[in-house]
Amino acid sequence: MQFGRTFEEFEVGAVYKHWPGKTVTEYDDHLFCLLTMNHHPLHMDANYAEKTTDFGKNVVVGNYIYSLLLGMSVPDVSGKAIANLEIESLKHVAPTFHGDTIYGETTVLDKWPSKSKSDRGIVHVETRGYKQDGTLVCTFRRKVMVPTETYTKERGGEQPGRPPVSHHHPQTTPLRGGTPSSEPREQGK
């Protein structure tokens, strides 16, 4: 399974459909809000949202949706990234509610080699997030510095830093009472 791409593997105009989607729960929304100290009642207080907003229910905090889509894009886009350089734009197009399922896709807008180092390049992408009914909810553009094939080979290949597999198997200890048997034991005698 591929995790990210080298500079050479990106093709301008390619569209990567990220899989699987993620159903957003109330727990996800509230935990994200609490972790990031965003205590706006639109996201945290069902009574407030029901009685005082046009939506009549809690709206999932937009930065969670953005973060979810960014994470979904990693295996296809930035899994090999050297650095995320810039979030050029971020637009929350439509609200997301508890129980909605988010799907994402990313289009490669452009790419160019690094001006300072020949073993990397910059990829410009746009990621879009949709709800289960096809409604566009979020879109953002970012620039990512990715390695070339040369960079990857020089630093350990596809799985850099992974230790070699030991073919030495530790001695197993029999279970207490002897070795397991395929025949049932009689109990109570």
Side-chain angles (χ1 to χ4, degrees), residues 98-132:
H98 303 151
D100 282 339
T101 302
I102 302 300
Y103 297 94
E105 65 181 37
T106 298
T107 301
V108 180
L109 302 174
D110 200 1
K111 74 177 208 176
W112 56 91
S114 169
K115 293 180 177 126
S116 60
K117 296 188 178 181
S118 63
D119 65 351
R120 58 200 70 190
I122 313 301
V123 180
H124 186 207
V125 296
E126 179 180 72
T127 300
R128 291 167 306 286
Y130 300 91
K131 291 201 286 193
Q132 66 280 354

Side-chain angles (χ1 to χ4, degrees), residues 3 9 17 35 59 71 77 88 103 105 116 129 145 180 184 186:
F3 192 73
E9 293 174 297
K17 295 187 178 193
L35 288 172
V59 174
V77 177
E88 179 181 295
Y103 297 94
E105 65 181 37
S116 60
M145 180 181 289
E186 285 189 42

Side-chain angles (χ1 to χ4, degrees), residues 22-154:
K22 168 72 171 86
T23 301
V24 178
T25 67
E26 180 179 33
Y27 175 83
D28 298 332
D29 183 31
H30 288 195
L31 180 60
F32 189 89
C33 286
L34 292 170
L35 288 172
T36 58
M37 296 182 66
N38 180 346
H39 302 140
H40 194 291
L42 176 63
H43 310 303
M44 301 285 293
D45 182 333
N47 182 59
Y48 167 88
E50 181 183 333
K51 293 181 178 173
T52 69
T53 73
D54 292 341
F55 303 110
K57 55 186 172 180
N58 288 132
V59 174
V60 176
V61 65
N63 281 335
Y64 174 63
I65 300 302
Y66 158 70
S67 297
L68 189 60
L69 289 163
L70 181 67
M72 285 180 180
S73 74
V74 169
D76 294 312
V77 177
S78 56
K80 287 183 174 61
I82 297 167
N84 277 298
L85 300 176
E86 174 183 355
I87 301 299
E88 179 181 295
S89 64
L90 170 60
K91 297 176 185 172
H92 297 288
V93 182
T96 303
F97 303 102
H98 303 151
D100 282 339
T101 302
I102 302 300
Y103 297 94
E105 65 181 37
T106 298
T107 301
V108 180
L109 302 174
D110 200 1
K111 74 177 208 176
W112 56 91
S114 169
K115 293 180 177 126
S116 60
K117 296 188 178 181
S118 63
D119 65 351
R120 58 200 70 190
I122 313 301
V123 180
H124 186 207
V125 296
E126 179 180 72
T127 300
R128 291 167 306 286
Y130 300 91
K131 291 201 286 193
Q132 66 280 354
D133 64 1
T135 302
L136 179 67
V137 294
C138 180
T139 181
F140 60 93
R141 290 183 175 197
R142 66 182 173 135
K143 292 177 183 150
V144 182
M145 180 181 289
V146 295
T148 62
E149 290 173 6
T150 300
Y151 178 103
T152 301
K153 285 177 189 168
E154 290 175 353

Side-chain angles (χ1 to χ4, degrees), residues 3-15:
F3 192 73
R5 289 177 161 76
T6 61
F7 181 72
E8 294 85 352
E9 293 174 297
F10 284 95
E11 183 181 320
V12 175
V15 177

Side-chain angles (χ1 to χ4, degrees), residues 167-185:
H167 293 290
H168 172 265
H169 300 287
Q171 184 176 359
T172 56
T173 307
L175 298 174
R176 194 166 58 140
T179 57
S181 169
S182 59
E183 295 182 25
R185 292 180 167 181

